[in-house]
């Protein structure tokens, strides 16, 4: 047989399909019980007072909101909300001019806004805003 040819005859495909179907449970078998989620979707995790103090101290020591979110199992938005609620001085990270230059190059090379944001540890919306200000366009072949 020629290596470029396939041996996908209807009979062989039907035989393989029947074999797969035999491995499936009968339609009358009840589905297994799903585990109920431990918390409702969209419900923010509540940090204990000592965790909030630890979060604030780590932020003031220079840890960014993304890393704090990962560390405490919450979103960066929740980190920011906690910091604001407790009167912490919020840093405006953003992107430097040099980082924007690099972001433009990465975007032109095909990187996504999310990839660039993760690279610079900023939100993808921040990247998008800076690229739009620069009039950056993707490089097309």
């Amino acid at each position: 047989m020629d290596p470029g040819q396939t041996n996908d005859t209807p009979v062989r495909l039907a035989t393989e399909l029947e074999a797969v179907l035999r491995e499936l449970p009968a339609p009358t078998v009840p589905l297994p019980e799903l585990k109920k989620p431990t918390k409702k979707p969209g419900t923010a995790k509540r940090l204990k007072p000592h965790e909030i103090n630890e979060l604030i101290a780590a932020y003031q020591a220079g840890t960014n909101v993304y890393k704090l979110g990962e560390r405490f199992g919450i979103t960066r938005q929740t980190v920011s909300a906690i910091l604001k609620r407790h009167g912490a001085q919020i840093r405006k990270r953003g992107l430097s001019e040099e980082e924007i230059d690099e972001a433009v190059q990465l975007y032109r090379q095909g990187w996504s806004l999310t990839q660039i944001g993760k690279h610079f540890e900023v939100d993808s919306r921040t990247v998008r805003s800076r690229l739009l200000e620069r009039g950056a366009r993707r490089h097309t072949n």
Side-chain angles (χ1 to χ4, degrees):
M1 172 179 269
D2 179 33
Q5 281 185 311
T6 61
N7 194 17
D8 290 336
T9 64
V11 172
R12 190 179 68 73
L13 291 174
T15 304
E16 289 179 8
L17 178 59
E18 287 171 354
V20 169
L21 290 173
R22 280 192 298 276
E23 293 177 21
L24 295 175
T28 55
V29 173
L31 293 173
E33 294 257 344
L34 295 177
K35 286 187 178 181
K36 293 184 180 174
T38 56
K39 68 178 192 116
K40 294 178 183 173
T43 304
K45 176 182 174 185
R46 299 241 181 233
L47 297 182
K48 294 177 175 72
H50 74 276
E51 292 174 312
I52 291 172
N53 292 337
E54 188 180 328
L55 181 145
I56 293 168
Y59 180 78
Q60 290 172 338
T63 307
N64 70 43
V65 294
Y66 292 91
K67 288 186 177 149
L68 289 170
E70 289 174 18
R71 179 171 165 188
F72 289 95
I74 57 179
T75 66
R76 66 148 183 94
Q77 293 92 337
T78 302
V79 171
S80 295
I82 290 169
L83 293 169
K84 288 176 187 170
R85 192 167 44 245
H86 289 84
Q89 182 70 32
I90 305 298
R91 297 186 302 268
K92 293 292 182 189
R93 163 72 171 88
L95 293 169
S96 68
E97 290 300 313
E98 295 79 20
E99 289 172 323
I100 296 170
D101 291 340
E102 185 179 347
V104 168
Q105 293 305 314
L106 294 173
Y107 187 68
R108 288 181 177 154
Q109 292 171 15
W111 284 42
S112 71
L113 297 175
T114 301
Q115 289 171 315
I116 297 169
K118 285 181 181 178
H119 178 72
F120 291 110
E121 297 182 340
V122 298
D123 191 88
S124 60
R125 292 173 292 193
T126 300
V127 174
R128 182 180 182 275
S129 296
R130 300 301 80 81
L131 293 176
L132 285 172
E133 288 170 3
R134 292 278 182 96
R137 301 280 181 254
R138 280 195 185 264
H139 177 71
T140 56
N141 294 343

